Every structure is written in structure tokens, then in C-alpha cells.
């Protein structure tokens, strides 16, 4: 059971991080005149294994920050 929880938690955290990066980047491109990027470029980067690991680490870090911020906002506004 613990292995399933760890794997599902990592997938949820990575999805949350990729979603946050996707929304942030594409909202930023509205003010600039850059091209939009697809969600798959944030979810799984193509290229070497080192690049994929770096992308996954970034997704986990941003997902953890987003989840922590959401929990803190829930605590603040429900008090």
C-alpha cells in the first residue's frame, strides 16, 4: 500500500507542477509576443535522460510549492 501511495503522490505532484508551469509560462507569453508551448513539453521533455530528470525535478519542486501555498491559503482563509 505504501508503494502505491508514493507512486500516486509523485504523479499528482508532477502533474500539479507541470500544470502550474504550463499556465504560468503561457500567461506570461500573452504579455510578450512569444509562441505558446504545449502541455506535453512541460510534462515530459524530449531529449537526453539528464534533461528529462531535470524537467521532472522542476515539476516536483513547483508542484510542492503550489501545494504548500494552497494549504497555507486554506488555513488563512478558513480561520
Amino acid at each position: 500500500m505504501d508503494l502505491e501511495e508514493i507512486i500516486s503522490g509523485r504523479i499528482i505532484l508532477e502533474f500539479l507542477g507541470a500544470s502550474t508551469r504550463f499556465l504560468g509560462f503561457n500567461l506570461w507569453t500573452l504579455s510578450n509576443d512569444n509562441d505558446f508551448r504545449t502541455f506535453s513539453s512541460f510534462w515530459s521533455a524530449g531529449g537526453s535522460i539528464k534533461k528529462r530528470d531535470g524537467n521532472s525535478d522542476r515539476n516536483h519542486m513547483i508542484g510542492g510549492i503550489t501545494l504548500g501555498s494552497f494549504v497555507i491559503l486554506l488555513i488563512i482563509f478558513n480561520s
Side-chain angles (χ1 to χ4, degrees):
M1 186 67 177
D2 291 335
L3 182 62
E4 295 170 1
E5 292 170 357
I6 290 171
I7 292 172
S8 63
R10 287 181 58 88
I11 291 171
I12 291 170
L13 199 60
E14 187 162 354
F15 179 75
L16 184 63
S19 299
T20 303
R21 288 179 62 209
F22 170 75
L23 287 173
F25 181 82
N26 285 330
L27 286 175
W28 180 257
T29 60
L30 289 175
S31 63
N32 303 332
D33 288 330
N34 297 336
D35 292 333
F36 286 98
R37 287 177 55 188
T38 61
F39 181 76
S40 64
S41 66
F42 292 102
W43 178 258
S44 61
S48 67
I49 299 219
K50 187 175 183 179
K51 185 176 179 181
R52 287 184 204 156
D53 288 343
N55 188 40
S56 180
D57 289 342
R58 251 178 276 141
N59 285 342
H60 287 140
M61 181 183 62
I62 299 295
I65 291 170
T66 303
L67 186 62
S69 301
F70 183 69
V71 168
I72 288 173
L73 288 174
L74 279 175
I75 291 170
I76 291 172
F77 288 116
N78 283 328
S79 295

